[in-house]
Amino acid sequence: YGFNGQGAVRRMTGKRKGSIGAIRLTGDAAFSNGVQYRANLYLDGHEYTIDGKGDSLNLFAMKVDPGDGGSIVAKGDLMLQNNWGNSAELKGDETNWLRLRGGNLTMYMPIETKWTMSVESSATVTGKKPANVDCANPNQWNGPVVLSNAVTMTLAPDAQGPLTFGEKVLGAEGGNVTFSGVGSVTMKKGLSIKQHSTWDNANGVLTMAKDSGVLHINGGCDLQQLMCYGGRLEVVNGEVNGLGSGIHPFYQRSAGLTAATSYAYFSNVTFKTAANSRYWFMGGMGKTSGILELDKGSKAPLRGFLIGSDSGGSDRASWGALYQHEETEVSVVDSSSDG
């Protein structure tokens, strides 16, 4: 790890784009640098650490051969970048890990990998693609994605660079997901960020930020809370579990559509709820709520169902809309006065 743990390779002035032909690790190594490599990286089963904040690694059209169990620890930022048809490539499978421990990840153009991504400190995952480059299915992470407890993974695709996750995004003890990009994100096998052992109002939250794009989740999701401040959320073909599972009535306010620009669409989805839980789709205090659409076989047994303000009197009542298609089932059970 170098002198006094400062990295086996230290930062140098300026970028060194072509000064190294290949890197092969013979042991675990920490790199303190901000360089862009245009060569192959051979981990041979070892751990490559981007040493800290301010450090970065740009794998520019570079092949990473991890070997058996090789991994990358990103305390600084990592970019996987294409070079006009020659893409960065993380060979290997789910037994190889990218561990985000303070660093962020940028996927730039047609990148695909089956590694496991472990988000161990709050991090941003960004998708990018130049508008003048034509490539099919860019920025695909087809290995598992695992969130540690209480961390937040922020998804920030730009308008040209969608992100796709091929396996379930899992935060078994209540990680959080925030969608803030103007582009699109697809989760092909669902999202599970519900805490299964304890319940904490601050975790297990899916947030759609103001002016965000489209988040498409196939296969259902487990959530503690859903907060939509903008954008379009699409959940299809599965169950929605865990919303409103709090032990206090306040925490039963499980879904917020707190901006007129927010749109939540559910198709062929069954909402699952505990006996005393509520599904509330509502605006915030004095704010206009967005639109909820239930389509194609969706089933929503609801308690205290509400589209509109957060309660508190007629002066705060500013309503959104519910679009319910004929083939859906919506029942309101034991509704409160504002239901």
Side-chain angles (χ1 to χ4, degrees), residues 36-106:
Q36 179 187 94
Y37 294 136
R38 298 191 183 186
N40 292 335
L41 174 61
Y42 300 91
L43 300 182
D44 285 357
H46 300 295
E47 186 176 88
Y48 181 114
T49 298
I50 308 167
D51 207 33
K53 284 293 186 182
D55 299 322
S56 63
L57 173 63
N58 183 346
L59 302 181
F60 188 83
M62 185 176 171
K63 305 298 188 291
V64 178
D65 188 341
D68 186 14
S71 63
I72 295 176
V73 176
K75 298 179 182 178
D77 296 339
L78 173 65
M79 175 179 282
L80 305 176
Q81 186 173 357
N82 176 281
N83 179 28
W84 304 103
N86 297 313
S87 63
E89 180 182 355
L90 298 182
K91 296 182 177 181
D93 55 28
E94 66 274 5
T95 64
N96 305 113
W97 289 65
L98 169 63
R99 302 183 182 276
L100 298 179
R101 293 181 181 168
N104 303 308
L105 171 65
T106 297

Side-chain angles (χ1 to χ4, degrees), residues 1 66 77 109 122 212 217:
Y1 274 73
D77 296 339
M109 295 172 59
S122 292
S212 57
I217 303 174

Side-chain angles (χ1 to χ4, degrees), residues 189-209:
K189 294 188 178 180
L191 170 68
S192 179
I193 52 176
K194 177 182 179 294
Q195 290 176 292
H196 295 283
S197 60
T198 59
W199 202 96
D200 180 353
N201 188 42
N203 294 304
V205 182
L206 171 61
T207 301
M208 298 286 292

Side-chain angles (χ1 to χ4, degrees), residues 240-258:
V240 175
N241 295 292
L243 284 173
S245 57
I247 59 176
H248 188 280
F250 178 83
Y251 300 143
Q252 295 174 356
R253 300 175 181 182
S254 54
L257 295 153
T258 62

Side-chain angles (χ1 to χ4, degrees), residues 19-280:
S19 58
I20 300 178
I23 299 173
R24 184 180 296 274
L25 299 190
T26 59
D28 295 347
F31 288 69
S32 175
N33 54 53
V35 302
Q36 179 187 94
Y37 294 136
R38 298 191 183 186
N40 292 335
L41 174 61
Y42 300 91
L43 300 182
D44 285 357
H46 300 295
E47 186 176 88
Y48 181 114
T49 298
I50 308 167
D51 207 33
K53 284 293 186 182
D55 299 322
S56 63
L57 173 63
N58 183 346
L59 302 181
F60 188 83
M62 185 176 171
K63 305 298 188 291
V64 178
D65 188 341
D68 186 14
S71 63
I72 295 176
V73 176
K75 298 179 182 178
D77 296 339
L78 173 65
M79 175 179 282
L80 305 176
Q81 186 173 357
N82 176 281
N83 179 28
W84 304 103
N86 297 313
S87 63
E89 180 182 355
L90 298 182
K91 296 182 177 181
D93 55 28
E94 66 274 5
T95 64
N96 305 113
W97 289 65
L98 169 63
R99 302 183 182 276
L100 298 179
R101 293 181 181 168
N104 303 308
L105 171 65
T106 297
M107 299 177 70
Y108 201 100
M109 295 172 59
I111 309 301
E112 180 178 355
T113 183
K114 295 182 179 180
W115 283 32
T116 296
M117 182 194 306
S118 176
V119 184
E120 300 171 12
S121 180
S122 292
T124 297
V125 179
T126 301
K128 291 182 175 293
K129 183 180 80 66
N132 61 344
V133 175
D134 185 20
C135 62
N137 303 317
N139 307 329
Q140 297 190 65
W141 193 280
N142 288 328
V145 178
V146 181
L147 280 63
S148 296
N149 185 29
V151 307
T152 297
M153 179 174 68
T154 299
L155 304 175
D158 68 16
Q160 302 295 328
L163 287 166
T164 298
F165 297 97
E167 296 293 333
K168 178 175 286 188
V169 177
L170 175 64
E173 291 301 323
N176 306 296
V177 173
T178 295
F179 180 54
S180 65
V182 297
S184 65
V185 171
T186 299
M187 298 181 181
K188 291 185 174 181
K189 294 188 178 180
L191 170 68
S192 179
I193 52 176
K194 177 182 179 294
Q195 290 176 292
H196 295 283
S197 60
T198 59
W199 202 96
D200 180 353
N201 188 42
N203 294 304
V205 182
L206 171 61
T207 301
M208 298 286 292
K210 180 181 178 181
D211 299 325
S212 57
V214 178
L215 173 58
H216 181 88
I217 303 174
N218 184 73
C221 53
D222 297 330
L223 302 169
Q224 301 288 142
Q225 292 189 80
L226 165 65
M227 300 303 297
C228 294
Y229 300 101
R232 179 183 175 94
L233 172 66
E234 300 176 348
V235 181
V236 302
N237 302 327
E239 296 180 349
V240 175
N241 295 292
L243 284 173
S245 57
I247 59 176
H248 188 280
F250 178 83
Y251 300 143
Q252 295 174 356
R253 300 175 181 182
S254 54
L257 295 153
T258 62
T261 56
S262 60
Y263 200 117
Y265 172 84
F266 297 89
S267 176
N268 196 30
V269 168
T270 298
F271 289 80
K272 297 288 188 178
T273 181
N276 295 318
S277 297
R278 302 180 182 185
Y279 280 110
W280 281 13

Side-chain angles (χ1 to χ4, degrees), residues 293-298 323-330:
E293 181 175 359
L294 300 176
D295 193 10
K296 296 180 181 178
S298 292
Y323 296 156
Q324 179 192 348
H325 295 253
E326 290 183 358
E327 60 269 34
T328 63
E329 298 178 18
V330 177

